[in-house]
Amino acid sequence: MENLSAVLHGVHDLRLENQSPTIPQANEVQIRVQKCGVCMTDVHMLDNGTVGNNIILKEPSVIGHEYSGYVTAVGSDVTNVKAGERVTVDNLVACGHCARCKRGHTNVCFNHGYIGFPPEGRGGLARFATVPATCVHRIPATLDFEEAAMMEPLSVCVSAINRADVKLGDDVIVFGAGPIGLMTSQVARAKGASSVCVADISKERLELARKLGATHTALFGADETDSRTNAQRIRDTLGDCPDIAIECSGVPHCLRTAIYAVRPGGVVAVVGIGPDDVSIPIVDVALREIDIRGCVCNNYCFPASIKLVASEKVMVKPIISHRFRLEEVHHALDLVRDRKVVKVMVDCSDN
Ligand SMILES: [Zn+2]
Ligand SMILES: [Zn+2]
């Protein structure tokens, strides 16, 4: 059976190869992939061979961590899905039995892996992928496969909003109007925020943020990097200090702006990943009791993410700006690297 797969062999060495589909083990599910999104993390992996300290490419690995498809085969112990059902895949593989998992904090599991990254592999930039049954979620008939493939990035946003603990009536500032910022702002509204301001350097992206429900936007020039001045602009735009700041850009001066902007006792959630070391105004953090909260992957947020889209509380379709076939995956990743796109979706089906 043909199974064209995007296999990462080394830095800048991504090859399209035909691999035979993996027969599912007792607790695994084989999926005929339909759609797979790509993001900056894939580009980072391709350009560096690593993400953070614990994802390191040592052996060839199939990439793609945002995907959906049909179940084609299930192992003997699988009870949650059947062949023929439409599903999406949570890329977090948690062990389920370490102290963190037992406390319900699965995204910082001591033994976790990520589908679509080494050493786990099993990525969705392929015709077929075989994954643990615990990672597979059925999707309702109202979601198409593109929307279903957006559940992975959306789950990151839902997890971040849970971490930030957005409450009814809160004012929220979101930095960055990329796919994550554009979905995070919608989830914040769905959670009950009364005002959500999105900040970015792109006028077009901010227009999209407005269409998707942001109540305010703040357009900054690329050279406007003074964090105190920018924080004041955000306070003026919202009419008050935001209660919560969600940093989705990974840009160091945005993180500093977030800290200066929030009210005393406010929360800064760190979602965007930028340089390893960033200087922040730590005295300001201490004296105003700001909570800085790290956010990674998602903590069992797929069910909520699926329902948010099915109930039209969150719109993901307008965020998809470009579509490619699996055979064009190199070009798709180049466009993501150049930031010329919002969200790129790859069609992995062979029809
Ligand atoms: Zn991603
Ligand atoms: Zn665990």
Side-chain angles (χ1 to χ4, degrees):
M1 200 160 19
E2 192 245 17
N3 178 27
L4 194 66
S5 306
V7 186
L8 188 63
H9 282 262
V11 174
H12 298 303
D13 185 8
L14 181 69
R15 304 179 201 169
L16 278 169
E17 295 173 348
N18 196 13
Q19 297 192 333
S20 54
T22 308
I23 306 298
Q25 301 288 303
N27 56 355
E28 290 181 338
V29 173
Q30 187 195 66
I31 296 164
R32 188 177 193 101
V33 182
Q34 296 297 298
K35 306 286 178 181
C36 183
V38 293
C39 76
M40 212 55 191
T41 318
D42 297 306
V43 172
H44 196 277
M45 195 66 225
L46 176 59
D47 291 354
N48 301 280
T50 62
V51 177
N53 299 321
N54 57 351
I55 300 178
I56 300 161
L57 181 73
K58 290 182 179 150
E59 282 174 18
S61 187
V62 181
I63 63 166
H65 60 278
E66 309 175 357
Y67 62 99
S68 61
Y70 294 102
V71 173
T72 37
V74 299
S76 54
D77 293 347
V78 174
T79 54
N80 60 328
V81 287
K82 297 193 287 281
E85 288 185 319
R86 302 161 74 247
V87 295
T88 183
V89 178
D90 184 342
N91 79 322
L92 175 70
V93 184
C95 76
H97 49 72
C98 74
R100 293 322 308 164
C101 283
K102 289 205 157 161
R103 286 173 182 272
H105 202 175
T106 57
N107 50 340
V108 289
C109 165
F110 293 142
N111 314 302
H112 74 279
Y114 298 112
I115 288 171
F117 295 95
E120 194 72 37
R122 307 164 178 265
L125 286 168
R127 300 272 190 248
F128 290 91
T130 299
V131 299
T134 49
C135 296
V136 175
H137 294 261
R138 264 200 312 263
I139 53 167
T142 48
L143 260 64
D144 67 20
F145 281 119
E146 286 190 341
E147 290 172 310
M150 293 293 283
M151 291 307 101
E152 193 284 326
L154 177 57
S155 74
V156 170
C157 307
V158 172
S159 207
I161 292 295
N162 286 341
R163 282 282 289 156
D165 196 18
V166 171
K167 292 189 171 69
L168 272 177
D170 274 351
D171 292 334
V172 176
I173 169 75
V174 175
F175 293 89
I180 295 292
L182 290 168
M183 290 189 282
T184 296
S185 57
Q186 295 182 70
V187 179
R189 298 268 354 239
K191 192 85 193 287
S194 56
S195 302
V196 177
C197 178
V198 179
D200 201 276
I201 55 172
S202 158
K203 195 162 166 280
E204 293 73 34
R205 287 185 182 212
L206 290 181
E207 278 164 14
L208 183 53
R210 282 267 187 188
K211 280 189 196 134
L212 296 173
T215 56
H216 301 72
T217 52
L219 177 66
F220 288 100
D223 56 347
E224 288 180 272
T225 58
D226 185 77
S227 298
R228 284 180 192 276
T229 309
N230 293 352
Q232 191 55 51
R233 270 268 308 280
I234 284 157
R235 290 173 170 195
D236 293 344
T237 304
L238 278 167
D240 202 353
C241 305
D243 302 284
I244 312 263
I246 320 238
E247 208 308 294
C248 302
S249 73
V251 176
H253 70 80
C254 292
L255 180 59
R256 290 190 282 272
T257 301
I259 291 165
Y260 287 130
V262 291
R263 65 161 165 76
V267 174
V268 175
V270 182
V271 184
I273 301 292
D276 268 349
D277 284 299
V278 173
S279 80
I280 57 166
I282 196 69
V283 173
D284 205 78
V285 169
L287 298 187
R288 297 196 303 123
E289 294 207 338
I290 309 292
D291 284 355
I292 299 179
R293 299 186 189 162
C295 303
V296 65
C297 201
N298 86 94
N299 189 13
Y300 197 63
C301 297
F302 266 63
S305 302
I306 291 166
K307 287 182 199 174
L308 280 168
V309 175
S311 63
E312 298 180 4
K313 295 258 189 250
V314 171
M315 313 251 277
V316 296
K317 207 87 176 170
I319 295 169
I320 302 168
S321 60
H322 291 71
R323 293 169 171 85
F324 297 98
R325 299 199 56 77
L326 181 56
E327 291 83 347
E328 303 168 299
V329 65
H330 293 92
H331 182 52
L333 288 163
D334 285 345
L335 287 186
V336 174
R337 183 186 296 105
D338 295 343
R339 297 183 187 276
K340 290 193 177 125
V341 293
V342 187
K343 187 69 197 178
V344 172
M345 193 58 69
V346 176
D347 184 349
C348 298
S349 70
D350 54 2
N351 43 39

